[in-house]
Amino acid sequence: MLALVACVSVARAEDGYGLWMRYVQADASKVEAYRAALGDVVAPDRTPTQRAARDELQRGLAGLLGVQPRFHTAPAGTAALVLGTPDSSPSLVIFQPELEDIGEEGYLLRQTQLGGQTVVVIAARRDIGVLYGVFHLLRLLQTGAALSDLDVRETPRMKLRVLNHWDNLDGYVERGYAGGSLWDWHTLPEWLDPRYTDYARANASLGINGAVLNNVNANAVSLSSAYLRKAAALADVFRPYGVRVYLSARFSAPMELGGLATADPLDPGVQRWWRGKADEIHALIPDFGGFLVKANSEGQPGPQDYGRSHADGANLLADALAPHGGVVMWRAFVYAHDVPEDRAKQAYNEFVGLDGAFRDNVMVQVKNGPIDFQPREPFHPLFGAMPRTPLMMEFQITKEYLGFATHLVYLGPLYEEVLRADTHVRGPGSTVARVVDGSLDAHALSGVAGVANIGDDRTWSGSHFDPANWYAFGRLAWNPDQSARDIATDWVTMTFSRAPDVVAPVVAMMMGSREAAVDYMTPLGLHHLMARGHHYGPGPWVAGGPRADWTSVYYHRADRHGIGFDRTTRGSDGVSQYAPAVARTFDDVGQVPENLLLWFHHVPWQHRMRSGQTLWTELVHRYGRGAGYVEAMQSTWGGLRGKVDEPRHRHVAAFLRIQRDEAQWWRDASVAYFQSINGLPLPAGETPPPHPRAYYQALQFPYAPGDGR
Ligand code: BDP
């Protein structure tokens, strides 16, 4: 018995810092073959990226193989791993033809014959491709892949794969649940925390190639000379890993920093100021990526302050950046000061008429859905509706609306659902992925952005499961056709254990977790029902205040008779922003997917669902089902005690207890609230909420994390 315990115990002091790059020794059955094939490494070491590739192999192979790899700069006449570009590693020149159309960041990873030896080759056109190939190989070793017949050819589908950090200069992270900002602005540029390098490694391991360092609710000081030098120091650390620095630009910076009387985009002085600023940035950061801009949205300044359009504003910055090759990522997350009849229609209404008016180096960055990163939204109607403008996807990785870092919610299925959604704009198969990867309308620029869930917490993301969302984002940004399940399988294998009796249950648990959160928070197409301000916990009763569209009652529209937002042709007509085939489906209460029913339709409480139940019965059932899923996750996780290292097991178990209580709270508060509106008895077999609506409504959380400032 003792021997058995010793043998199944995988205890190791684990704190999550290593992310998916833990590099624990490979299974005994594989390790000999790996050593024989990869114990010798032929790799150049002249450039910083070449050295980064070597460092990673050193770290990775030493861990996985349990022996130090031997590095050479020229073929040593033995079986080996050979990596480089045709320039840096002349023996790879025979791959030149195959590399012609692999792209600047692509790579080949193959077992083949070279100089009479069986070798594993990583070949690319540029050093960064080689580094990406190294991470790919390490992933294969971590997941126990065989090397024989290895034949991989990878080119990223999206050009820009970017993290947006909503980090303020004082170290506070807006909607951040993972501690403070990673960037220590006060000690930059002198002190370069080693963690900056680990951050860049983690991103490079996924192919993430850009980071917007500061909050979209931007402070002009980020563009001051002193702060640009700090950003330049970070750019120097990230550069070998292929991660370019971008900055959020405050539109009124010419006034705040430059002392100008206006920020009008058509004013020559303003244009001169931005050109000068772009020149200054590029002198410090030669590969500066460009600007991200939130303008005329939620109180931010913008071109409309001067009667100009979003295109005027974006083009102003684009012209300043163009000589240096930078891009503008102009956000479509806008809504007007006057509360509209349907906020979901606003971005489309403001942007669709500007199609074709933007410079070539502008991308319009569109949130995945038309409201705001809700647990479930239909895809944003702008996707496919601006064929002459490259549209960049904006996902939220930080779980502002999905339980913060304490809820185990794997977002892979959410991203997958949106990317695979069919816009039908050019007939069937016009998926959102094909809009954003540029293939549908032949755009040279393409990209995906994710609002980062990264902070200075030891786990990076505030829990042991949230890094999975960073990971899934990166993998899908590289190739949006990958499956969320496969990605989760890789992640669990690398993060927790290779044992199938750990991987299978954990992946299963993750795969259902997003749907569970939808169920216990906003089932059947409900949305925007969270508490005001900090967005922590349920708030279906939220009403009044400065804007109707910042309330819950605006979105659910529940009364004695029914519930839901009528966006049909008989209502706000939001459906007509979609291509006709999609609009028809959403418009028809008999065809709309039930998981979006109350997004598009206002229906009576007695509406018959496909299950045969009434809407009210189904709604209460879904709330309970979501909470029940969390209990099932607890029992799955409990069964893994001893199979997952103790420190992480304990941490996750504690967070699952928080999640269970909060899921139940969401269910009880929502049921109590809707019952107070419709006056209906609880469906048979359902447990009454332990408290009346007033109790839930009175709860206050003045110190909930991450609130906007
Ligand atoms: C909302 C967040 C707010 C952000 C805003 C945005 O609550 O903190 O500033 O999105 O994306 O969801 O600009």
Side-chain angles (χ1 to χ4, degrees):
M1 186 60 198
L2 263 183
L4 184 68
V5 171
C7 140
V8 295
S9 164
V10 289
R12 222 176 87 105
E14 297 271 12
D15 60 8
Y17 185 86
L19 294 166
W20 47 89
M21 303 175 295
R22 289 158 59 251
Y23 303 136
V24 295
Q25 189 160 332
D27 290 341
S29 61
K30 304 273 170 48
V31 91
E32 277 314 317
Y34 288 170
R35 279 183 194 159
L38 307 168
D40 287 273
V41 181
V42 181
D45 64 354
R46 289 190 304 276
T47 69
T49 301
Q50 290 169 3
R51 287 192 287 274
R54 273 190 170 224
D55 287 351
E56 201 62 34
L57 281 172
Q58 164 70 48
R59 190 183 278 116
L61 294 180
L64 284 153
L65 276 48
V67 293
Q68 294 296 330
R70 293 172 295 273
F71 283 95
H72 315 271
T73 43
T78 51
L81 169 64
V82 183
L83 49 127
T85 65
D87 280 344
S88 69
S89 294
S91 65
L92 298 180
V93 84
I94 54 163
F95 293 100
Q96 187 95 50
E98 280 188 74
L99 294 172
E100 286 301 315
D101 58 354
I102 207 158
E104 298 293 288
E105 298 172 298
Y107 55 87
L108 294 175
L109 171 54
R110 183 177 296 168
Q111 189 179 60
T112 185
Q113 296 291 313
L114 203 65
Q117 298 290 339
T118 302
V119 294
V120 173
V121 159
I122 300 174
R125 284 174 57 154
R126 289 180 50 222
D127 288 346
I128 189 63
V130 178
L131 180 62
Y132 289 159
V134 163
F135 278 112
H136 192 138
L137 175 66
L138 290 170
R139 162 155 51 92
L140 293 177
L141 302 177
Q142 287 173 282
T143 52
L147 294 177
S148 48
D149 305 326
L150 188 62
D151 191 5
V152 174
R153 182 187 166 91
E154 285 283 339
T155 302
R157 287 261 299 278
M158 314 281 183
K159 199 158 172 204
L160 308 186
R161 306 174 298 276
V162 174
L163 289 179
N164 294 349
H165 290 267
W166 285 359
D167 295 17
N168 293 344
L169 298 183
D170 64 359
Y172 183 81
V173 182
E174 182 163 337
R175 311 308 178 182
Y177 312 102
S181 175
L182 272 190
W183 328 131
D184 185 355
W185 293 107
H186 185 63
T187 57
L188 282 164
E190 289 306 327
W191 168 239
L192 299 173
D193 190 323
R195 196 158 185 174
Y196 301 153
T197 308
D198 288 333
Y199 165 83
R201 287 175 50 228
N203 281 332
S205 78
L206 305 172
I208 289 173
N209 66 2
V212 184
L213 301 178
N214 59 320
N215 194 348
V216 284
N217 296 320
N219 186 329
V221 171
S222 298
L223 299 178
S224 67
S225 302
Y227 277 80
L228 291 177
R229 279 194 294 279
K230 296 170 189 281
L234 287 175
D236 290 343
V237 175
F238 300 166
R239 190 168 296 113
Y241 295 90
V243 179
R244 283 181 171 208
V245 157
Y246 297 72
L247 292 170
S248 291
R250 184 163 164 89
F251 199 75
S252 53
M255 300 165 76
E256 285 145 349
L257 291 182
L260 303 190
T262 177
D264 183 345
L266 302 193
D267 180 276
V270 170
Q271 293 168 354
R272 210 172 312 116
W273 189 87
W274 281 109
R275 277 199 304 273
K277 191 46 80 179
D279 294 347
E280 180 189 355
I281 297 174
H282 279 276
L284 289 165
I285 311 175
D287 55 353
F288 179 63
F291 294 132
L292 171 64
V293 190
K294 171 175 177 177
N296 293 119
S297 166
E298 300 186 330
Q300 294 300 314
Q304 293 176 344
D305 302 347
Y306 308 94
R308 315 296 184 198
S309 73
H310 282 292
D312 294 329
N315 292 344
L316 162 76
L317 303 181
D319 288 343
L321 292 167
H324 311 286
V327 302
V328 173
M329 302 180 289
W330 192 268
R331 296 176 89 223
F333 178 68
V334 296
Y335 48 96
H337 295 305
D338 342 315
V339 175
E341 24 89 73
D342 182 359
R343 178 165 134 202
K345 290 165 59 181
Q346 285 250 312
Y348 180 100
N349 287 344
E350 285 203 37
F351 276 84
V352 102
L354 296 174
D355 193 23
F358 294 97
R359 299 279 191 269
D360 287 348
N361 57 333
V362 175
M363 306 191 72
V364 172
Q365 184 173 297
V366 182
K367 287 189 180 181
N368 59 274
I371 296 288
D372 198 356
F373 298 140
Q374 292 301 293
R376 169 168 281 116
E377 300 194 25
F379 68 87
H380 201 299
L382 274 175
F383 292 116
M386 294 183 68
R388 297 165 69 194
T389 311
L391 299 187
M392 191 165 184
M393 169 66 74
E394 181 175 357
F395 283 127
Q396 194 173 45
I397 310 173
T398 188
K399 302 204 310 300
E400 176 180 358
Y401 301 100
L402 285 126
F404 298 0
T406 28
H407 291 210
L408 194 169
V409 177
Y410 172 52
L411 298 177
L414 188 162
Y415 302 153
E416 184 183 77
E417 175 178 302
V418 176
L419 290 164
R420 292 185 181 179
D422 197 343
T423 69
H424 281 267
V425 286
R426 312 260 176 294
S430 311
T431 59
V432 170
R434 294 196 57 219
V435 173
V436 295
D437 76 5
S439 62
L440 196 67
D441 297 302
H443 288 298
L445 266 184
S446 59
V448 185
V451 180
N453 65 349
I454 300 163
D456 64 5
D457 186 79
R458 190 68 190 160
T459 63
W460 296 87
S461 300
S463 79
H464 289 297
F465 271 89
D466 276 283
N469 295 328
W470 175 8
Y471 185 83
F473 166 80
R475 293 284 303 273
L476 286 165
W478 180 276
N479 176 1
D481 290 341
Q482 289 181 98
S483 101
R485 179 179 293 277
D486 292 350
I487 292 171
T489 304
D490 282 349
W491 180 81
V492 174
T493 307
M494 294 191 286
T495 301
F496 283 114
S497 168
R498 279 187 294 264
D501 61 348
V502 173
V503 176
V506 176
V507 169
M509 176 171 115
M510 288 168 74
M511 287 304 292
S513 60
R514 181 274 187 138
E515 202 61 46
V518 170
D519 277 346
Y520 64 70
M521 292 178 171
T522 50
L524 297 173
L526 289 172
H527 49 289
H528 206 292
L529 302 186
M530 64 290 165
R532 200 196 288 275
H534 49 59
H535 299 165
Y536 172 63
W541 45 78
V542 170
R547 301 183 58 105
D549 57 355
W550 284 356
T551 69
S552 302
V553 295
Y554 171 88
Y555 292 100
H556 65 63
R557 311 217 161 186
D559 60 18
R560 280 188 60 72
H561 308 289
I563 180 171
F565 198 123
D566 185 356
R567 296 192 168 101
T568 68
T569 45
R570 289 139 334 260
S572 79
D573 200 24
V575 292
S576 296
Q577 293 183 337
Y578 292 94
V582 177
R584 272 196 301 278
T585 308
F586 288 162
D587 196 42
D588 179 353
V589 75
Q591 284 188 58
V592 67
E594 268 187 349
N595 62 21
L596 291 173
L597 176 68
L598 304 177
W599 185 285
F600 287 113
H601 294 265
H602 185 88
V603 293
W605 293 105
Q606 306 307 333
H607 173 82
R608 267 304 141 200
M609 302 295 291
R610 279 158 218 163
S611 63
Q613 314 267 39
T614 66
L615 168 67
W616 172 234
T617 302
E618 179 89 22
L619 192 68
V620 177
H621 166 71
R622 298 256 179 148
Y623 275 117
R625 186 174 78 178
Y629 190 90
V630 182
E631 286 181 8
M633 290 203 289
Q634 285 187 290
S635 106
T636 302
W637 190 253
L640 296 173
R641 186 168 298 120
K643 295 180 181 171
V644 167
D645 55 282
E646 212 270 331
R648 288 189 297 174
H649 191 274
R650 218 154 25 93
H651 195 276
V652 170
F655 275 32
L656 283 170
R657 288 196 296 275
I658 298 174
Q659 184 178 8
R660 179 204 53 207
D661 291 349
E662 293 185 356
Q664 193 62 42
W665 167 35
W666 266 94
R667 180 267 176 198
D668 291 336
S670 306
V671 170
Y673 170 76
F674 288 124
Q675 215 183 355
S676 78
I677 301 287
N678 64 18
L680 293 170
L682 214 55
E686 297 287 356
T687 315
H691 304 284
R693 164 185 167 176
Y695 165 87
Y696 300 105
Q697 199 162 337
L699 297 174
Q700 299 285 326
F701 302 94
Y703 305 112
D707 200 354
R709 271 191 187 172

